[in-house]
Amino acid sequence: MDDRQDDFDRGLRNRRAVLGDAWVDRSLGNATAFNADFVSLITRYAWHDIWGRPGLDHRTRRLLVLGMTIAQGRWEEYELHLRAAVEGGVPLDEIKETLMQAVIYCGVPAANTAFKLAGEVLAKLGITPAPQPLTPAQRVARHHTFSAPQLHVLRQGQGRPVVLSHALGLDVQMWDRLAAALAGDCEVLRYDHRGHGESAVPPGPYTMDELVEDAARLVREWGRGPVVWIGLSMGGMVGQGLAARHPELVQSLVVANSTSYYPDAARGLWAQRIATVEAQGLAGIADGVMGRYFTEAFRAAHPEVEAWARGRLLRTDAAGYVACCHAVSQVDWREALPRITCPTLVIAGAQDVGAPVAMSEAIAQAVPGARLEIIDGASHISVLEAPEAFERLVRDFLAAH
Ligand SMILES: O=C(O)CC1=CCC(=O)O1
């Protein structure tokens, strides 16, 4: 086999990987005596020489192609690559950001067409993004704390101040649905923990005390305290510490899928997790984490939610994640819980293996007057697995306190 044939075969493999077999088979089947040389040339030149270069991964090249075809107004190529990117698993968030970038580098009319065509492509693929009407409750203001380490903050709605604090390995978007629902009559502030999302990643390891002091300065900077604190897992650990250490900042507390303490065996598992991430990155733990986040039944019924959570986990800074694992693994609020004086709701997922029901029972027993609610069928990220049940529990609690 000559070199040109080798390059053609390698190029064809890349082309199939990026555009899909169906498209490539159609293109090869439609080749004629007139255009066959051209198809051969682009297969070798574009799909081997350029797409085959190791310097950028295919995902980055796909996004670049979207930007470039928008800039040139080559809309048939744009639609082709957009469809292929979505089918190839590029997260919609990243495609959206590429189109947003085009607004300033290609101009509003080009981005306008890009968004319109993207909507059509998504509709043909059967993907309907959730409605997000630009009502005052849905309008989200985005900023960072003034004080360092800077924390990324989203704020929406008007009314009673509520803070949402996310789980390890996720970010503010975990709360999209609940934030929008509460923003009708609350001012909802959510933030990325240090080491997560778009917040700063100072060198680790972190301590739970540092995460709690981040929360305290966030509430003080906001100036709306005392707040309703709703935290899930790591966010719930921060909430326990905040309510115990800074009672003046917390009016009432919801602690979901969390714990006040890990026994030695679990701390050993955290040490293993830290070692795995240090050796292999977050990809090394992603399957295991998804298995703890969601039940098998939920993963089968909602692969898109799992894909979203996996994407968030993999985008988390590995050093930030490890630094937070140190804080989480050493959490110990057992002596502090009896000092919490605010109304407290503890939510557990009946199937949660990351924070089993017994851990929530221990919190509810130690916090004076706390109430425990268990969501049937839910595992660790109960706000995503059982959003209606989670919201109902929060709304009933807000109405009562
Ligand atoms: O990552 C997990 O397995 C579960 C978890 C522990 C703390 C947190 O926020 O999530």
Side-chain angles (χ1 to χ4, degrees):
M1 201 177 288
D2 64 20
D3 287 349
R4 283 162 68 89
Q5 184 60 32
D6 268 359
D7 288 356
F8 180 86
D9 290 343
R10 282 192 284 260
L12 202 55
R13 273 200 295 279
N14 284 333
R15 192 176 180 209
R16 286 186 183 283
V18 173
L19 297 183
D21 286 335
W23 174 271
V24 174
D25 287 340
R26 210 165 35 248
S27 159
L28 294 180
N30 289 341
T32 65
F34 183 68
N35 71 1
D37 285 349
F38 171 65
V39 174
S40 168
L41 175 102
I42 57 168
T43 305
R44 286 179 282 113
Y45 171 54
W47 291 103
H48 169 57
D49 281 357
I50 302 301
W51 279 90
R53 289 174 67 82
L56 287 176
D57 59 21
H58 276 184
R59 177 145 132 194
T60 309
R61 290 183 192 276
R62 285 178 188 274
L63 297 176
L64 285 170
V65 170
L66 293 183
M68 291 168 183
T69 49
I70 294 170
Q72 292 178 309
R74 303 315 304 246
W75 298 116
E76 58 315 309
E77 287 283 312
Y78 166 77
E79 285 189 78
L80 164 66
H81 278 276
L82 181 70
R83 179 192 54 73
V86 175
E87 288 185 326
V90 179
L92 282 190
D93 279 352
E94 292 185 13
I95 294 176
K96 181 183 95 179
E97 287 310 319
T98 306
L99 271 52
M100 293 298 287
Q101 192 83 359
V103 177
I104 52 169
Y105 286 96
C106 307
V108 170
N112 212 2
T113 307
F115 269 106
K116 178 174 148 293
L117 293 177
E120 290 171 12
V121 167
L122 292 181
K124 279 186 206 145
L125 292 174
I127 298 171
T128 319
Q132 193 175 307
L134 288 175
T135 56
Q138 304 283 355
R139 229 174 6 240
V140 180
R142 182 173 175 277
H143 63 94
H144 283 80
T145 54
F146 296 114
S147 56
Q150 283 202 308
L151 302 174
H152 171 235
V153 176
L154 299 183
R155 188 171 45 79
Q156 70 197 99
Q158 283 178 332
R160 193 171 173 187
V162 173
V163 178
L164 305 177
S165 180
H166 67 80
L168 177 72
L170 295 176
D171 65 13
V172 277
Q173 289 191 4
M174 185 187 104
W175 299 111
D176 276 356
R177 178 175 167 154
L178 185 69
L182 296 182
D185 47 11
C186 298
E187 185 169 352
V188 182
L189 182 140
R190 41 195 164 129
Y191 71 105
D192 289 331
H193 293 282
R194 60 166 70 193
H196 281 69
E198 294 175 43
S199 286
V201 188
Y206 309 149
T207 63
M208 190 50 70
D209 285 351
E210 285 175 311
L211 300 187
V212 168
E213 292 315 307
D214 282 348
R217 68 187 166 84
L218 175 84
V219 175
R220 289 198 184 103
E221 264 194 30
W222 190 21
R224 299 276 339 265
V227 302
V228 180
W229 187 274
I230 303 177
L232 189 143
S233 198
M234 182 167 78
M237 297 174 197
V238 172
Q240 294 168 63
L242 189 70
R245 292 257 168 88
H246 301 284
E248 75 287 0
L249 298 180
V250 185
Q251 186 270 325
S252 51
L253 174 66
V254 178
V255 176
N257 305 89
S258 196
T259 188
S260 53
Y261 163 77
Y262 286 108
D264 285 345
R267 286 188 173 173
L269 295 176
W270 280 105
Q272 281 174 23
R273 189 191 300 204
I274 289 169
T276 306
V277 176
E278 283 174 343
Q280 302 167 25
L282 285 160
I285 60 160
D287 288 340
V289 170
M290 291 306 121
R292 277 188 302 278
Y293 274 0
F294 307 115
T295 62
E296 274 308 313
F298 182 82
R299 292 169 78 184
H302 295 282
E304 76 291 354
V305 178
E306 181 187 339
W308 172 84
R310 187 182 289 269
R312 289 286 133 189
L313 176 72
L314 293 176
R315 280 177 60 173
T316 304
D317 186 283
Y321 185 90
V322 163
C324 280
C325 284
H326 283 283
V328 164
S329 66
Q330 299 305 313
V331 65
D332 190 353
W333 295 126
R334 287 174 297 173
E335 286 188 4
L337 292 182
R339 292 203 301 276
I340 295 180
T341 51
C342 65
T344 300
L345 168 67
V346 182
I347 298 177
Q351 315 290 323
D352 192 342
V353 286
V357 171
M359 290 182 167
S360 292
E361 282 169 350
I363 299 172
Q365 277 161 17
V367 176
R371 178 184 173 84
L372 172 67
E373 294 283 354
I374 301 173
I375 302 181
D376 277 343
S379 177
H380 195 58
I381 311 295
S382 60
V383 71
L384 295 180
E385 283 183 307
E388 287 96 2
F390 195 100
E391 184 187 334
R392 197 171 49 252
L393 290 174
V394 166
R395 281 198 183 282
D396 289 351
F397 178 69
L398 289 179
H401 302 282

